[in-house]
Amino acid sequence: MAVGLIVRTAMAFRIRVSGPKACFARPEFKVDRISYEVITPFAARAIYESIYWKPQIRWHVDAIHVLNPILFCEEDRNSHSPRHGIIRSISLLDVDYLIDAHFDVIDHSNSDSIAAMHSKMFIKRVRSRRYFREPYLGAREYPATIELVESGTADTPQPASRENREIGWIAHDLDEIPSNGLRFFQATMRNGTILVPPKGCPTLAL
């Protein structure tokens, strides 16, 4: 298959993602379902793809703004496997994020009209809530509420906590070349915001 040109959108799309519960499971726990402290870029990209997915575009998360204090809820759950019995689940409560992302268009033309068309369709999908598939917060039993944050909106919500916090290693995204493996990065929250490094950044690790 021929490799097409990549056209990067000049604009970032900001959405507000919220819900009463969420679980962005840490992969090192094989049985228990233990959530990261915040939504991962991997899970955030999945939300954008749930809203609008096309094989010609690739979403990239740029920043995550944590609006609510980080709260956990622990509970025991019945496993579907008799071997595991009761498993532990630690989920997040009352999550609320602003997420910034852009997309690249992979096409055989460098026309900006292609990116403009996809941008228009994404905005239309968010406003009408007619998604490609139902978005959720890490687990399918935790549906996500999505709002488009328009550029220049005067009442854009702000993080409830301006704390600086070392989140530690969290899942970044799948690296399609060469191993198709999940990569990680050391996330740091500054004034409620986590800046996400781009794919291919040397600070990412397997």
Side-chain angles (χ1 to χ4, degrees):
M1 183 175 69
V3 178
L5 297 173
I6 297 178
V7 181
R8 186 183 190 276
T9 50
M11 63 183 296
F13 300 89
R14 173 172 287 186
I15 58 174
R16 185 175 184 178
V17 179
S18 60
K21 293 185 73 173
C23 186
F24 309 107
R26 304 175 68 104
E28 62 265 35
F29 293 93
K30 303 302 182 183
V31 177
D32 294 334
R33 195 173 69 172
I34 313 298
S35 180
Y36 284 110
E37 295 177 77
V38 296
I39 187 173
T40 65
F42 186 38
R45 176 175 64 83
I47 290 176
Y48 278 85
E49 291 181 345
S50 294
I51 297 169
Y52 183 72
W53 180 88
K54 291 291 180 182
Q56 300 87 1
I57 69 173
R58 300 289 185 273
W59 284 103
H60 303 279
V61 175
D62 302 313
I64 296 167
H65 310 275
V66 183
L67 300 182
N68 284 355
I70 298 171
L71 301 173
F72 287 101
C73 172
E74 183 173 356
E75 58 185 348
D76 292 333
R77 303 168 59 92
N78 289 320
S79 170
H80 295 297
S81 169
R83 184 178 64 168
H84 294 145
I86 302 298
I87 62 173
R88 185 173 59 141
S89 175
I90 298 181
S91 304
L92 293 166
L93 291 176
D94 192 23
V95 299
D96 200 352
Y97 307 108
L98 296 180
I99 304 175
D100 299 328
H102 70 276
F103 62 77
D104 293 338
V105 178
I106 302 173
D107 199 87
H108 300 291
S109 168
N110 61 358
S111 172
D112 289 340
S113 63
I114 298 173
M117 181 269 294
H118 288 296
S119 298
K120 182 178 179 180
M121 290 302 300
F122 172 78
I123 292 171
K124 182 178 179 180
R125 289 286 180 89
V126 181
R127 287 174 174 168
S128 65
R129 292 183 170 84
R130 297 181 63 183
Y131 307 133
F132 174 70
R133 57 177 176 262
E134 194 64 28
Y136 55 88
L137 293 163
R140 294 188 184 277
E141 64 263 38
Y142 303 143
T145 299
I146 310 294
E147 299 176 39
L148 180 67
V149 180
E150 306 279 0
S151 177
T153 301
D155 57 348
T156 298
Q158 298 297 319
S161 173
R162 292 287 185 173
E163 70 172 314
N164 297 328
R165 185 169 182 155
E166 297 296 332
I167 303 297
W169 290 98
I170 69 172
H172 179 271
D173 210 331
L174 291 174
D175 190 351
E176 298 173 359
I177 300 174
S179 61
N180 200 34
L182 185 62
R183 291 195 174 270
F184 299 82
F185 78 109
Q186 285 192 306
T188 300
M189 186 166 68
R190 292 287 180 261
N191 293 323
T193 295
I194 299 170
L195 299 179
V196 179
K199 280 190 175 183
C201 180
T203 60
L204 300 179
L206 284 171

